[in-house]
Amino acid sequence: MAHAHESNTKRIWVVLVILSLLTTVEVVLGIIKPASLHLSSVLGTSPLNWIFIILTLVKAYYIAWAFMHLEGEKKWFRRSIVWSAIFLICYLVTLVLIEGGYLYDTLSPLVRW
Amino acid sequence: MEANIAVPTDSKDTWSGGGAKPFGASYGKMMMWFFIVSDALTFSGFLAAYGLTRFKFIDSWPIADEVFTHFPGLHGVHAPMYYVALMTFILIVSSVTMVLAVDAGHQMKQKKVAWYMFATIIFGIIFVGSQAWEWKNFINGSYGAVKTTDGKILQFTKDGHQIALSDFVHGERQDHREQHTRKNGLWFEKEGTISQYSVAQVVNAYKADPSILVRSELIDMKTKTKVVLSREEGLKQLAKTKMVVEGANLKVNEYGNTIFADFFFFITGFHGFHVLSGIILNIIIFFNVILGTYERRGHYEMVEKVGLYWHFVDLVWVFVFTFFYLV
């Protein structure tokens, strides 16, 4: 084990508080759904959705760095994990979502409501 | 040469990879991380497929906070999101107790590790139980709807709120339709539970009460709410009714698109299965801690490795929560 063995209890509690706060913000926004954020559109989806996605990524960062202790691993070990995963996921999601939009454009004119 | 030859050894270091530690990480820890990367890609595949399907049906996808509205003890109260928020919080707390166990392991405090592991297991069990309850509500359904011959779900509203079939259809089912079991029909066939009301009964109840409106699956993109049809339009749609739908399963779904239910079962089910295996791993490690295995081994790295898996399960839930319930 590369990292030192001192206690990190304080850091753990701080991260718990951050994660709880972020979740609370998400839930409150999800329940209220302010019209200005929910019904407008920025870069393909509503600003509310962007807020959710960004807060989720922030939460993921804290879980991976603090709880899974990526911050204590060697730099290139961390990068071999994080960069591979992020590249492949972005690649997959981009292609698949473009395809989904195409399917909608092609099929929805055929549906009678 | 040496690297390619299996050298008999008594030092039992197969699982630690001997003395070689690339990146300063032990063999077990590194492999756990690479497993997590591959598992993350599996989950991404599911969520991406969910995204594709949602984009494909972007104008008729069910609105999540109209689907998940139950909270234990609050019957009939519209409580969107509260329950999942609670589940999310439980899982985060279990992650914290896990990381505290790892921390205590670094300081070789056996008792503390055991207690934190125990807490993690309990929170994990509560989470799986909550998920089971969520599934139960989803499967049983809350309102009921009808499905038309062209595969669309029609729901019913009154005064702007969705109402259950039992709120406006009265009396028992009258067409004497009975469930086909192995006892009363062909012995080699049976069917699922039949709906509480017949199609004709629902349509007649709609005709009888002018305050009932039909809600279609279509989303009005300006207000992001489901389109409510006029009385005449509703009647025209109801004329195409094929079946009464109560609840959701892999074939029909009273909340809208069937594939929404399929993804719900598949993604939360796959995640729940991960939580379950995490709990089992935690229990095994918990007993090892109590028995003093890691005390004798001189380090608690095993707790750390299982902890990685447990945090990963939490990490995945953060994404499932966002993409299934919020976005």
Side-chain angles (χ1 to χ4, degrees), chain B residues 26-96:
Chain B
S26 71
Y27 175 83
K29 195 156 123 182
M30 182 180 270
M31 289 309 128
M32 178 53 92
W33 262 114
F34 290 161
F35 163 70
I36 285 174
V37 171
S38 77
D39 215 17
L41 291 172
T42 309
F43 272 107
S44 315
F46 287 157
L47 283 174
Y50 173 83
L52 177 138
T53 315
R54 185 169 176 174
F55 274 35
K56 179 176 169 185
F57 299 116
I58 195 78
D59 57 352
S60 64
W61 201 246
I63 296 170
D65 51 353
E66 291 176 358
V67 178
F68 307 101
T69 58
H70 297 273
F71 198 88
L74 299 178
H75 293 287
V77 178
H78 189 76
M81 222 88 84
Y82 297 132
Y83 192 60
V84 232
L86 180 70
M87 283 167 68
T88 309
F89 191 70
I90 290 168
L91 208 55
I92 290 175
V93 170
S94 85
S95 237
V96 169

Side-chain angles (χ1 to χ4, degrees), chain B residues 25-252:
Chain B
S26 71
Y27 175 83
K29 195 156 123 182
M30 182 180 270
M31 289 309 128
M32 178 53 92
W33 262 114
F34 290 161
F35 163 70
I36 285 174
V37 171
S38 77
D39 215 17
L41 291 172
T42 309
F43 272 107
S44 315
F46 287 157
L47 283 174
Y50 173 83
L52 177 138
T53 315
R54 185 169 176 174
F55 274 35
K56 179 176 169 185
F57 299 116
I58 195 78
D59 57 352
S60 64
W61 201 246
I63 296 170
D65 51 353
E66 291 176 358
V67 178
F68 307 101
T69 58
H70 297 273
F71 198 88
L74 299 178
H75 293 287
V77 178
H78 189 76
M81 222 88 84
Y82 297 132
Y83 192 60
V84 232
L86 180 70
M87 283 167 68
T88 309
F89 191 70
I90 290 168
L91 208 55
I92 290 175
V93 170
S94 85
S95 237
V96 169
T97 54
M98 186 79 231
V99 79
L100 286 170
V102 175
D103 194 71
H106 286 156
Q107 302 161 47
M108 302 297 289
K109 290 180 179 159
Q110 186 185 3
K111 269 205 169 145
K112 250 180 141 181
V113 179
W115 275 112
Y116 282 132
M117 289 294 296
F118 182 70
T120 310
I121 293 165
I122 297 298
F123 283 122
I125 291 171
I126 295 176
F127 180 85
V128 175
S130 313
Q131 218 167 29
W133 193 77
E134 181 101 332
W135 271 46
K136 188 211 88 183
N137 285 327
F138 188 72
I139 291 169
N140 287 341
S142 24
Y143 297 106
V146 295
K147 191 169 191 172
T148 61
T149 45
D150 50 358
K152 298 193 176 76
I153 290 289
L154 303 174
Q155 298 168 334
F156 298 90
T157 63
K158 187 177 183 173
D159 307 327
H161 293 286
Q162 191 178 356
I163 56 167
L165 292 179
S166 56
D167 291 339
F168 70 101
V169 185
H170 303 290
E172 297 290 304
R173 192 173 174 133
Q174 279 144 16
D175 58 355
H176 305 296
R177 176 75 164 74
E178 272 182 45
Q179 186 178 353
H180 180 177
T181 61
R182 290 184 203 279
K183 276 189 304 199
N184 64 2
L186 296 171
W187 59 269
F188 50 85
E189 271 180 19
K190 60 173 180 169
E191 67 174 359
T193 316
I194 57 168
S195 58
Q196 200 184 344
Y197 306 110
S198 65
V199 172
Q201 223 177 340
V202 174
V203 175
N204 286 335
Y206 171 82
K207 283 180 189 160
D209 188 345
S211 65
I212 310 285
L213 293 173
V214 167
R215 197 168 80 145
S216 79
E217 279 183 75
L218 190 65
I219 295 175
D220 178 358
M221 285 300 185
K222 281 204 190 74
T223 57
K224 293 200 179 163
T225 50
K226 300 276 177 178
V227 172
V228 177
L229 305 176
S230 66
R231 284 284 296 174
E232 300 74 47
E233 189 60 32
L235 199 58
K236 224 159 80 190
Q237 291 290 328
L238 278 178
K240 291 188 289 182
T241 302
K242 178 178 68 175
M243 64 187 290
V244 175
V245 184
E246 285 161 333
N249 52 49
L250 292 172
K251 289 178 188 151
V252 283

Side-chain angles (χ1 to χ4, degrees), chain A residues 90-102:
Chain A
C90 290
Y91 187 50
L92 174 78
V93 168
T94 309
L95 292 192
V96 160
L97 290 189
I98 290 173
E99 183 69 14
Y102 167 77

Side-chain angles (χ1 to χ4, degrees), chain A residues 7-8 38 56 73-74 112, chain B residues 23 29 103 152 224 322:
Chain A
S7 178
N8 290 315
H38 184 48
T56 302
E73 303 296 345
K74 288 245 171 82
R112 278 226 328 270
Chain B
F23 296 126
K29 195 156 123 182
D103 194 71
K152 298 193 176 76
K224 293 200 179 163
T322 301

Side-chain angles (χ1 to χ4, degrees), chain A residues 46-68:
Chain A
S46 68
L48 192 63
N49 282 355
W50 283 117
I51 292 173
F52 289 147
I53 291 167
I54 290 165
L55 290 183
T56 302
L57 292 175
V58 174
K59 273 161 62 173
Y61 164 81
Y62 276 109
I63 291 172
W65 257 250
F67 288 175
M68 301 172 96

